[in-house]
Amino acid sequence: MPFLEWISQPWPWYVAGPLIGLVVPALLLVSGRPFGLSTSFEDMCAATLPAKPELLRRDWKQGSWRLSLVAGIALGGLLTALAIPNPEAEVAISAATRADLEGLGLTTFSGLAPTQIFSWESLGTVAGFVIIVLGGYMVGFGSRYASGCTSGHAIMGLANLQVPSLLAVLGFFAGGLTATWLILPALL
Amino acid sequence: MGAAEVGAEGRPGRETLWKFVLVGIFLGVVFTKAEVISWFRIQEMFRFQSFHMYGIIGSAVFVGAISILLIRRLEARTVYGDPIRLADKESRGRNYRYWIGGGLFGLGWGLLGACPGPIFALIGNGVTVLLVSLAAALVGTWSYGWLRPHLPHH
């Protein structure tokens, strides 16, 4: 199988997980900095928003390395979509998940996220607004309240055996299970 | 984008930013190819119907932990020759900030199917409506900044 065709296939967990884990030593060795992405939200607020609370009154240029990192992530997504897109139209989720989501009324299964929810048109619907806008709001509010997100706590914090990070990850899962089992069924 | 001033939290002086862009591109590619940025995969995880996401998070933590152990044992230094110091996460009182903040983050993660890194990767993948989610996350960050003095943290 030609190389491009081969790496265009979805990558299994045992390839992707270790590669993500290697970002921890990579950042430490090239810069001495800990892995963590949600602080970039503070950098962006510090750089742009007026009337800043104390949390955001700092020199955003101190976070320019983080802003470069998240800009790179967007670029990596773009390059993947252009050069090595998934040859299949749908993400190969388990039959049980597909059946559950169909039971909730989901009809579109192509792409990385269902277009039925994630489109500009659906912003005007209750489900679209709650998922896209309130969901994004809580990701921002919660990650800064907990002082970290999936990268800073679930990966960096757990890898560094931090008990506070374990508490945060338990919180992440409690919230995610609530959203999945109680809120989404009422919305979709 | 050649260099920028970095201060207290990093190496003083001027530091190139390109290496961070490169690490970011690497992450963006892996996030996309492993489908961890897919709303469907996050639903599958929270429904306990596949090992995929647990395998990714678990093996990432494992590789990160071994790496940190080696860095400590070997007293490895950065490419600048500086010692590598890892700060402990603040632990105070009952640590409400991790429970409550983590729970609120999880609600957002479960609905949106994307945490901060994947939000950027999805925008790059052309799911442009996530720009609205990013803007909402910034409003969330800003409003947390205002409410912080009134919220329980410890």
Side-chain angles (χ1 to χ4, degrees):
Chain A
M1 200 187 294
F3 179 71
L4 275 183
E5 197 179 312
W6 181 63
I7 59 166
S8 295
Q9 305 297 319
W11 297 2
W13 67 264
Y14 50 84
V15 172
L19 288 178
I20 294 170
L22 283 177
V23 170
V24 169
L27 282 177
L28 288 172
L29 291 171
V30 303
S31 72
R33 293 192 175 90
F35 186 32
L37 297 172
S38 64
T39 318
S40 68
F41 293 156
E42 290 183 12
D43 302 323
M44 289 178 187
C45 287
T48 58
L49 294 182
K52 289 191 272 278
E54 195 214 332
L55 175 75
L56 305 171
R57 271 181 231 143
R58 58 183 167 81
D59 181 12
W60 65 270
K61 293 191 187 73
Q62 298 240 332
S64 50
W65 71 275
R66 259 186 312 260
L67 295 173
S68 307
L69 192 63
V70 297
I73 290 176
L75 200 54
L78 175 67
L79 291 173
T80 310
L82 293 176
I84 47 170
N86 187 352
E88 303 297 326
E90 296 183 5
V91 173
I93 50 170
S94 74
T97 307
R98 193 189 171 99
D100 280 0
L101 294 175
E102 279 172 347
L104 292 179
L106 204 70
T107 53
T108 58
F109 286 85
S110 61
L112 289 162
T115 49
Q116 187 180 337
I117 302 168
F118 293 91
S119 69
W120 288 89
E121 296 76 43
S122 80
L123 269 177
T125 68
V126 173
F129 182 84
V130 171
I131 291 171
I132 296 166
V133 181
L134 291 186
Y137 179 88
M138 282 187 284
V139 165
F141 189 101
S143 65
R144 297 329 304 151
Y145 193 172
S147 164
C149 63
T150 343
S151 53
H153 280 310
I155 296 179
M156 184 69 204
L158 291 186
N160 196 25
L161 312 178
Q162 298 292 302
V163 173
S165 293
L166 181 61
L167 302 181
V169 172
L170 291 174
F172 297 169
F173 264 81
L177 292 173
T178 307
T180 298
W181 293 94
L182 299 178
I183 304 176
L184 279 175
L187 277 177
L188 294 175
Chain B
M1 178 173 19
E5 299 292 328
V6 297
E9 63 167 344
R11 182 170 172 84
R14 296 177 73 79
E15 181 183 36
T16 177
L17 295 174
W18 279 109
K19 59 190 180 186
F20 299 109
V21 177
L22 289 176
V23 173
I25 291 174
F26 173 80
L27 268 177
V29 172
V30 178
F31 282 166
T32 305
K33 290 319 296 176
E35 300 171 334
V36 303
I37 64 173
S38 169
W39 184 88
F40 296 108
R41 286 286 184 202
I42 303 303
Q43 274 298 298
E44 199 181 42
M45 171 180 76
F46 283 131
R47 293 172 183 279
F48 303 104
Q49 288 162 336
S50 170
F51 182 70
H52 185 76
M53 287 300 303
Y54 296 100
I56 287 177
I57 296 173
S59 58
V61 171
F62 180 76
V63 168
I66 299 289
S67 305
I68 290 173
L69 195 72
L70 283 175
I71 284 173
R72 287 225 167 95
R73 281 283 159 81
L74 303 173
E75 294 180 18
R77 289 171 174 259
T78 69
V79 290
Y80 305 112
D82 298 325
I84 294 173
R85 291 192 201 88
L86 285 172
D88 283 329
K89 307 272 185 197
E90 180 191 72
S91 181
R92 283 173 68 187
R94 296 189 180 172
N95 282 318
Y96 285 129
R97 74 175 307 166
Y98 302 112
W99 292 111
I100 306 172
L104 291 173
F105 172 84
L107 283 176
W109 188 22
L111 290 173
L112 192 60
C115 43
I119 289 176
F120 293 101
L122 279 163
I123 292 169
N125 269 280
V127 189
T128 53
V129 76
L130 266 284
L131 285 166
V132 176
S133 303
L134 174 59
L138 297 187
V139 175
T141 300
W142 183 74
S143 55
Y144 165 68
W146 284 113
L147 289 173
R148 185 169 65 153
H150 312 290
L151 295 170
H153 284 73
H154 312 302

